[in-house]
Amino acid sequence: MRDVCIVGVGMSKWGEVWRRSFRQLFVDAASVAIKDSGVDHLDSLYVGCMSGGLFAQQEHVGAICADYLGLAGLPAMRVESACASGGMALRAAYIEVGSGVSDIVMASGLEKMTDVDGDGATAALAGAADQEYEVFHGATFPGLYAMMAHAHMARYGTTSEMLAAVAVKNHKNGAKNPVAQYPFEITVEGVLNSVMVADPLHILDCSPITDGAAAAILTTEEIAKKLGKPYVKIVGSGVATDTIALAQRDDLTTIRAAGMAAERALRMAGKKLSDVQFAEVHDCFTIAELVVLESLGIYEPGKAGPATVAGETSLDGRFPVNPSGGLKCKGHPVGATGVAQAIEVYKQLTGQAENGRQIPGSPKVGMTHNMGGSGASSVVHIMEVA
Amino acid sequence: MAQFSSRIWREFPQRYRLEASKFKKSGKTYYPPRDIDPTNGDTENEIVRLPDTGKVVTYTVIRVAPSQWGDQSPYALAVVEPTDGTRVMVQMTDCDVEEVKIGMEVRLEFRRIQTEAHSGVLSYGHKAVPKWF
Amino acid sequence: MAGIVGYGAHIPRHRIKVEEIAKVWGADAPSYKKGLMLREKSVPPPDMDTITLSVEAARRALIRAQNVDPKDIGAVYIGSESHPYAVKPSGTTVAEAIGATPDIHCADFEFACKAGSEAMFVALSHVDAGHMKYALGIAADTSQGAPSDALEFSAAAGAAAFIMGKENLIAECLDQFSYMNDVPDFWRREHEFYPQHAGRFTGEEAYFATTRGASNALLKKSGLKPSDFKYAIFHQPNGKFPQRVSRELGFTQEQIDPGWLAPRLGNTYSGASPIGLSATLDVSEPGDLIFMCSYGSGAGSDAFIWKVTDRINEVRDLTVRTHKLIDENLIYVDYGTYAKYRHKIKKNN
């Protein structure tokens, strides 16, 4: 494998973007990334998109994105792994550049989620669960993670306050992120008093429904140097899967695929977990951040909650988690999230994080963890300063 | 959302009779049935039925429900472990959602699971009720 | 002749009291309670219907039948006036759920409140004639009464299932008799949601005349008299009618008590006398004779004479007793919840 670098990034507006369509959101993010990187062409395009079909009745995502970017003719392909689609698109682009097949590849992600009503969005997202044996019985995503939360609480004494601390911390970070959907701070009381969605998860334990796109330009170090822009290296990529249905997992308090993906990414990078200084992780629900941190091995089982309350995962903590504000605050356009996580790590490693959101001490190695469904797929990337 | 009825029909053995596959080599039972034993790749298996009693392994109470279940909201959803050690995800019914607890003894009862609008096909399966006899 | 080798009942946990319904319609609860002689009725939650009640009752019947292979059941008949589909049988789902398909005859019966006993009658006849080893007759309903109509105070839900056979009987059927004449006392036209009835005409010329007709004919045919029976069960659209007709026929309150369920269950329509039979079998002893007479508007009655065998002592408590289902573990609902459960509230689709 050749070294692969991220040399430019771009994001559309994130939130309820009523005035931009599915294709326009992609064009917004992709145009910024191309300009930011300074590349004069692309060799191919990957678009992470969970459900263009159910959210916008639009399949054939690779073609429409290339077309409206003004690049009809470009090799383009959609990548899908539910909410991990963006991270998987990044991996596909990484492998294509690393293998030498192409020199300049765009990894992007896209989801337009507000052109359907609440039932429509719930039904589309439910496609990431086991339709016949979970969704059939009335399972929703908050419900699936809530069941993990109850199991975690029963086993480790995790509390609703610990869950709320995750949301509070992420909003504190995201309040400084110009692209965040909900850029304001919240309090533990605010979370605990918010409406209960699926016990024990309140609405403020949940990531929102978001329209948005994100794009990154991947290329060789040689080209990155020539472009003369800040760049970082992707040094490891790992993917793992698990049973689609939650009930079939022996342990409902860990997400096994997250740990396996991290182990593979670290092995590829030739690094130890302790070399990683911060992470963007998939906090689709507050409990997910805690379970993922434990499954990745960053914390012992049951210890991520107390560590969050103690501030260890805050921007100035021992191991900052979700400096971007995470899915919780920044928003979660499901196909775009994985790419946006990489953009945040890129910004942190190149010192470009806005508004005092920069992690102190110029970190050198960061990690992204992006996850599909209730943890049936995970993709982890390790990134390092060039 | 409307489901073509062939999709529902195909699942009848598992949903109506709680049929599971028990593999010859490992002795493991899987619900819903699988063709391949994930522990060893074995394909030789026999159909067995899950016991109709078990306990709650974890649960939640869905308070913001898809409109499909509006008539029953809030409802509890649980991972139930029948006495043979398999696990199923089912709704809890006939109970106060505040009473659901991990470890609670339940019985699996035949219930209507989904009603497709006013005129569509009805889907049946099992739900868990608190065990009281 | 043939008889019952397994029986089981199922009844929703939910109840609504007469007072709760009366309050909404400005009706005088004490006079309704006295007039109908009933206190409350069962209410099926939205995830229960005639099919689900039938499956659970049939499974309990299989438990009490012990060692009956569902594949040996040659017919499943379900009598109900509330089959969930207008077109598509209830019986196929039930047969599939108990593992009795595909070598089986199946039919859904409808004859107002008599459909359940009809299912039993035909199942019994098939087995007695040697057409099949076992046949399953099920009586189940989740009946609806129009809001504010007198029927709303009584229309209830429940089911009882009976596996008929020739060996290992719990109760032998000594004789059965059916009586029928055309009486428009109660009906529901196609596509209508609620039934209608002819008020007081449903009494003397319908319920009483028909019940007496079937009962007297069977008593005469069998050469038995009311005092020969330990128990008797009659259709019970309310608490009062079965009490009066049993008295007129010469039965005592003690004889009808175990199967006189309407005061605390309501009118389970097709399920009424069959559930009464299940509750009566629960308390009967070997050798007891049980008289049973159903009634369905339209109008007809099926009457049966059952003789309980020694096996009752062995199977009675293999599963839950009917009285336990009626009296324990209840959830009382208010009228709003009841209206929601019974789809009486207009919503956008």
Side-chain angles (χ1 to χ4, degrees):
Chain A
M1 284 275 285
R2 302 191 282 185
D3 280 347
V4 179
C5 303
I6 293 182
V7 72
V9 299
M11 286 174 70
S12 71
K13 182 173 165 49
W14 277 31
E16 292 176 319
V17 189
W18 303 116
R19 288 176 179 247
R20 302 301 280 169
S21 67
F22 181 79
R23 68 188 75 179
Q24 288 173 321
L25 286 168
F26 168 78
V27 171
D28 290 349
S31 305
V32 174
I34 288 171
K35 193 168 169 219
D36 185 51
S37 66
V39 295
D40 59 2
H41 75 283
L42 297 177
D43 293 329
S44 83
L45 165 66
Y46 288 95
V47 187
C49 181
M50 175 179 165
S51 196
L54 292 176
F55 283 118
Q57 285 79 52
Q58 183 65 61
E59 311 288 11
H60 215 166
V61 174
I64 192 174
C65 288
D67 179 8
Y68 275 78
L69 192 55
L71 296 176
L74 181 71
M77 196 196 295
R78 170 209 190 155
V79 179
E80 189 274 314
S81 187
C83 311
S85 299
M88 296 293 188
L90 180 69
R91 176 178 162 90
Y94 169 66
I95 291 170
E96 185 162 327
V97 175
S99 65
V101 170
S102 297
D103 289 335
I104 303 172
V105 178
M106 178 182 285
S108 68
L110 165 65
E111 215 75 55
K112 174 73 187 171
M113 300 174 74
T114 61
D115 280 351
V116 291
D117 63 11
D119 267 1
T122 302
L125 292 169
D130 185 328
Q131 276 293 336
E132 308 295 3
Y133 292 90
E134 294 185 320
V135 182
F136 176 74
H137 291 282
T140 60
F141 266 96
L144 293 172
Y145 278 93
M147 283 191 269
M148 285 189 229
H150 267 154
H152 204 269
M153 287 170 152
R155 184 158 174 190
Y156 298 114
T158 303
T159 63
S160 291
E161 287 75 12
M162 293 176 192
L163 299 181
V166 173
V168 169
K169 181 261 298 175
N170 288 349
H171 270 266
K172 191 172 179 193
N173 295 345
K176 299 169 188 151
N177 189 341
V179 299
Q181 182 172 7
Y182 296 116
F184 48 77
E185 296 197 21
I186 58 173
T187 62
V188 169
E189 296 70 43
V191 177
L192 298 181
N193 292 330
S194 66
V195 67
M196 193 69 92
V197 172
D199 302 18
L201 301 180
H202 300 83
I203 186 83
L204 290 182
D205 285 299
C206 307
S207 58
I209 297 284
T210 312
D211 299 326
I217 306 295
L218 274 63
T219 187
T220 63
E221 184 158 26
E222 191 188 346
I223 294 171
K225 270 187 185 146
K226 274 189 203 153
L227 290 166
K229 304 269 180 154
Y231 66 91
V232 300
K233 279 187 196 174
I234 300 175
V235 290
S237 172
V239 169
T241 54
D242 201 351
T243 64
I244 189 87
L246 187 64
Q248 303 219 350
R249 300 186 200 149
D250 294 334
D251 184 352
L252 301 176
T253 61
T254 62
I255 292 175
R256 192 173 59 165
M260 290 168 71
E263 204 182 301
R264 288 167 186 169
L266 286 165
R267 196 184 315 135
M268 188 174 183
K271 293 194 183 299
K272 302 185 299 294
L273 187 60
S274 56
D275 296 331
V276 179
Q277 293 161 291
F278 70 100
E280 281 280 304
V281 307
H282 197 95
D283 61 322
C284 48
F285 300 92
T286 50
I287 183 64
E289 178 166 321
L290 299 184
V291 171
V292 165
L293 289 177
E294 293 168 6
S295 303
L296 292 172
I298 291 163
Y299 284 99
E300 292 285 311
K303 298 291 197 306
T308 303
V309 172
E312 288 186 25
T313 57
S314 300
L315 207 58
D316 57 355
R318 184 179 75 77
F319 187 88
V321 174
N322 286 328
S324 69
L327 285 53
K328 171 69 201 82
C329 171
K330 184 171 83 245
H332 184 27
V334 284
T337 283
V339 176
Q341 290 177 321
I343 290 174
E344 178 67 12
V345 173
Y346 165 85
K347 284 185 176 178
Q348 291 289 348
L349 292 178
T350 54
Q352 298 184 72
E354 307 88 343
N355 305 333
R357 199 160 44 81
Q358 187 65 46
I359 295 168
S362 306
K364 302 284 182 285
V365 180
M367 175 191 270
T368 60
H369 163 263
N370 184 203
M371 167 163 81
S374 62
S377 66
S378 269
V379 50
V380 169
H381 284 96
I382 312 291
M383 291 160 62
E384 190 174 20
V385 293
Chain B
M1 277 222 304
Q3 290 181 13
F4 204 65
S5 54
S6 56
R7 209 181 111 191
I8 297 160
W9 164 79
R10 206 172 290 118
E11 306 296 327
F12 284 172
Q14 298 86 276
R15 288 188 182 150
Y16 285 11
R17 299 190 292 273
L18 293 171
E19 287 186 1
S21 50
K22 182 171 182 165
F23 283 86
K24 205 168 178 183
K25 283 185 197 147
S26 69
K28 283 182 181 290
T29 302
Y30 297 96
Y31 182 88
R34 288 172 179 262
D35 298 317
I36 301 167
D37 184 342
T39 60
N40 58 13
D42 188 16
T43 56
E44 265 189 275
N45 66 84
E46 55 164 343
I47 293 297
V48 295
R49 287 201 205 168
L50 301 186
D52 66 356
T53 56
K55 62 180 197 326
V56 171
V57 174
T58 189
Y59 73 98
T60 183
V61 178
I62 307 270
R63 296 180 192 272
V64 179
S67 56
Q68 156 91 256
W69 280 281
D71 288 352
Q72 292 158 77
S73 177
Y75 57 88
L77 190 71
V79 174
V80 168
E81 193 171 286
T83 49
D84 66 350
T86 52
R87 282 176 176 180
V88 297
M89 183 174 288
V90 288
Q91 263 185 51
M92 299 280 302
T93 190
D94 277 11
C95 65
D96 179 347
V97 294
E98 309 302 334
E99 285 171 10
V100 181
K101 284 184 185 64
I102 291 174
M104 186 174 188
E105 300 270 333
V106 296
R107 181 185 302 280
L108 296 172
E109 260 195 29
F110 197 78
R111 296 284 175 139
R112 192 190 279 191
I113 309 292
Q114 294 197 21
T115 305
E116 194 191 291
H118 180 63
S119 55
V121 72
L122 303 169
S123 294
Y124 296 90
H126 285 77
K127 292 190 181 184
V129 299
K131 196 177 166 202
W132 64 281
F133 62 82
Chain C
M1 60 182 281
I4 298 165
V5 298
Y7 70 95
H10 194 45
I11 291 162
R13 279 182 69 181
H14 301 75
R15 297 286 183 278
I16 188 164
K17 288 182 179 293
V18 165
E19 286 84 351
E20 182 64 24
I21 300 171
K23 188 173 72 185
V24 173
W25 302 114
D28 182 47
S31 58
Y32 268 95
K33 286 171 84 172
K34 188 158 169 274
L36 296 171
M37 207 176 266
L38 65 86
R39 301 192 296 271
E40 58 197 53
K41 66 167 190 172
S42 63
V43 176
D47 56 6
M48 257 191 190
D49 60 24
T50 284
I51 289 174
T52 69
L53 286 163
S54 296
V55 169
E56 286 299 320
R59 285 176 175 171
R60 286 175 189 155
L62 274 165
I63 291 171
R64 285 204 180 95
Q66 301 172 295
N67 311 322
V68 166
D69 183 345
K71 299 279 182 207
D72 287 335
I73 296 175
V76 57
Y77 300 125
I78 301 178
S80 179
E81 62 116 58
S82 48
H83 291 290
Y85 289 98
V87 176
K88 189 195 173 301
S90 300
T92 50
T93 303
V94 175
E96 199 74 62
I98 63 168
T101 53
D103 300 329
I104 186 165
H105 187 240
C106 167
D108 286 2
F109 290 9
E110 190 283 312
F111 192 145
C113 297
K114 188 176 89 80
S117 64
E118 269 179 337
M120 294 167 67
F121 194 104
V122 177
L124 202 51
S125 303
H126 269 307
V127 172
D128 200 55
H131 296 154
M132 50 193 66
K133 193 170 179 190
Y134 301 108
L136 176 58
I138 303 176
D141 252 317
T142 56
S143 45
Q144 285 271 25
S148 85
D149 188 287
L151 279 182
E152 195 186 19
F153 292 89
S154 60
F162 300 86
I163 297 169
M164 307 301 185
K166 272 186 168 171
E167 289 165 11
N168 291 321
L169 300 180
I170 294 170
E172 184 187 357
C173 182
L174 297 186
D175 212 343
Q176 59 181 12
F177 188 83
S178 205
Y179 180 98
M180 194 275 287
N181 52 163
D182 191 358
V183 184
D185 59 328
F186 170 100
W187 62 91
R188 179 165 61 82
R189 292 272 302 276
E190 183 85 317
H191 307 305
E192 289 298 305
F193 194 62
Y194 298 113
Q196 297 182 45
H197 57 87
R200 292 187 61 80
F201 177 59
T202 61
E204 184 48 42
E205 294 297 344
Y207 176 87
F208 291 102
T210 309
T211 303
R212 277 196 304 265
S215 298
N216 284 327
L218 185 59
L219 287 170
K220 189 176 170 194
K221 187 179 170 209
S222 65
L224 293 166
K225 51 190 187 304
S227 59
D228 293 330
F229 293 89
K230 182 72 183 288
Y231 300 114
I233 304 122
F234 296 93
H235 177 57
Q236 34 205 302
N238 49 53
K240 206 171 201 172
F241 278 25
Q243 204 179 41
R244 190 183 128 193
V245 83
S246 61
R247 205 184 301 133
E248 286 173 7
L249 286 163
F251 291 94
T252 65
Q253 182 68 35
E254 289 66 37
Q255 284 172 298
I256 67 164
D257 261 340
W260 187 52
L261 309 175
R264 48 201 215 281
L265 180 60
N267 177 11
T268 51
Y269 281 52
S270 296
S273 52
I275 296 171
L277 176 62
S278 76
T280 304
L281 286 169
D282 282 343
V283 299
S284 61
E285 294 296 332
D288 286 351
L289 284 180
I290 299 172
F291 188 84
M292 170 182 169
C293 183
S294 68
Y295 170 75
S297 291
S301 283
D302 298 319
F304 305 83
I305 294 170
W306 306 100
K307 185 175 185 184
V308 180
T309 74
D310 293 344
R311 216 177 132 244
I312 189 67
N313 289 328
E314 195 183 326
V315 307
R316 183 186 286 126
D317 288 315
L318 291 178
T319 183
V320 64
R321 289 195 190 194
T322 301
H323 278 277
K324 201 173 165 79
L325 293 170
I326 295 171
D327 296 331
E328 295 179 29
N329 201 35
L330 304 181
I331 300 169
Y332 284 91
V333 297
D334 58 18
Y335 193 89
T337 304
Y338 158 79
K340 180 175 82 167
Y341 280 6
R342 301 306 285 140
H343 308 292
K344 290 172 191 279
I345 300 174
K346 273 190 185 167
K347 301 193 303 179
N348 281 336
N349 192 20

